[in-house]
Amino acid sequence: MARLFLAVMFLWFGVMNFTAVGTDITGGWIGGHALFSGLVDQAGSAAKTLGLYQIIAGVLVGAPIPSGSFRRIGFAMIGLYAFGALTVLFTNPVWSQAAGGFPAIGSGQGLLKYLAILGLSLWGGSFENSRMFAQRHTDMRMWSQPVMWLGLVLVLGWIGAMKFTAVEAAGIAPLVETSPVLAWLLTLMPLQTVSNLIGMVELITVVGLIGYWFSNTLFRMGLVLAIATFVVTLSFLVTFPGSWAGDQGGFPALGQAGHFLLKDLPLLAVCLALLSETGREGTMRRR
């Protein structure tokens, strides 16, 4: 599942980087970068270079290649990409000034998801082992779990807390209004109350996830809530027209909202990976 979801996301993103949407997104990050802002005129070339990198990584991870060595390279490429994406949090203006700046996160919400993706790449790569390096890969599999866990907690906790702000409530309004799962709530309560309710569910999920360290039952409950959350957010790809780039003909051309939402696919895989590692004695790391 980790291989499939990571491959789908990276192949899709890679192809999109050869379009105007990919150039715009790459140009936005380059333009705000403390080190690379001078390269904004080469945003198109940068986007295509990243696209090629993503396509190669996606193929290496997802293709039915007999040798695990190629998959290890693919997982390593994805992990390196995720690490690089996380560094952008410290170089670009990713904070919502309308909500008072740090810690109110704005455009960096999508970047936060790469921590869990980094952990997933470590976890997926740990299965591509050999007898000679069995212990090394067992250790990598063990250490990947707290990285995945922290990634989930940061995404759900930070973005969940943002739901209590007017800026975030306005941001999710079009998603809620077009969702059959959530739109009915707007007939019962104001938008801000709906946003608060969603944020509360996400924070309750974080409380459950904290059980990773001491309660197997609580942790599994948190994972189930997280799975439900990511399934709902992924459904926005179907229900929210803004997920697709209209100037590129719509589906399957992702818009900026679609790029943000599709990252929940590997986060769903993270939940399933952690669930698979949770036995009667707890997670692999606590055994």
Side-chain angles (χ1 to χ4, degrees):
M1 194 67 74
R3 286 178 54 198
L4 174 63
F5 287 178
L6 284 172
V8 167
M9 189 189 86
F10 271 77
L11 286 171
W12 209 333
F13 281 3
V15 171
M16 287 305 304
N17 269 336
F18 285 85
T19 69
V21 175
T23 299
D24 289 343
I25 293 174
T26 303
W29 289 120
I30 290 177
H33 200 286
L35 300 177
F36 303 124
S37 58
L39 300 176
V40 69
D41 292 338
Q42 285 76 45
S45 298
K48 290 180 176 63
T49 301
L50 286 175
L52 182 60
Y53 181 97
Q54 291 168 320
I55 290 171
I56 292 173
V59 169
L60 289 176
V61 165
I65 303 172
S67 173
S69 298
F70 289 105
R71 284 192 292 273
R72 280 197 293 272
I73 294 172
F75 280 118
M77 290 178 68
I78 289 175
L80 183 61
Y81 184 93
F83 179 80
L86 287 169
T87 65
V88 179
L89 283 169
F90 304 99
T91 59
N92 285 60
V94 298
W95 313 107
S96 174
Q97 298 305 315
F102 180 84
I105 193 164
S107 59
Q109 290 187 15
L111 296 174
L112 280 178
K113 298 181 180 182
Y114 278 106
L115 182 58
I117 293 171
L118 173 60
L120 185 63
S121 68
L122 293 172
W123 184 81
S126 71
F127 289 91
E128 306 300 341
N129 56 27
S130 64
R131 185 174 302 176
M132 181 181 298
F133 299 109
Q135 184 57 46
R136 185 188 70 181
H137 286 281
T138 298
D139 290 342
M140 186 167 75
R141 183 178 167 197
M142 181 180 71
W143 285 104
S144 68
Q145 293 181 36
V147 178
M148 291 191 290
W149 173 84
L150 182 59
L152 289 180
V153 168
L154 276 179
V155 166
L156 292 166
W158 208 332
I159 298 178
M162 283 295 298
K163 295 293 193 301
F164 292 87
T165 67
V167 173
E168 186 67 12
I172 67 170
L175 301 175
V176 174
E177 290 167 354
T178 55
S179 171
V181 179
L182 300 174
W184 62 275
L185 291 172
L186 293 173
T187 65
L188 304 177
M189 59 191 78
L191 173 63
Q192 185 61 63
T193 305
V194 173
S195 184
N196 293 348
L197 180 61
I198 295 172
M200 189 177 302
V201 170
E202 291 176 336
L203 294 180
I204 291 172
T205 302
V206 170
V207 172
L209 292 175
I210 293 174
Y212 172 83
W213 301 101
F214 60 88
S215 172
N216 191 35
T217 300
L218 184 62
F219 179 53
R220 290 176 72 89
M221 290 173 60
L223 287 174
V224 170
L225 285 173
I227 289 170
T229 296
F230 295 133
V231 168
V232 171
T233 55
L234 285 168
S235 73
F236 296 152
L237 285 169
V238 178
T239 61
F240 178 51
S243 299
W244 311 102
D247 58 346
Q248 299 291 320
F251 177 84
L254 289 166
Q256 293 203 22
H259 277 77
F260 175 80
L261 293 170
L262 189 61
K263 291 173 188 173
D264 283 354
L265 191 62
L267 264 61
L268 177 60
V270 165
C271 295
L272 296 174
L274 287 172
L275 199 61
S276 72
E277 296 285 13
T278 310
R280 296 180 62 182
E281 300 83 11
T283 62
M284 182 180 178
R285 181 169 172 77
R286 290 197 287 114
R287 291 172 193 164

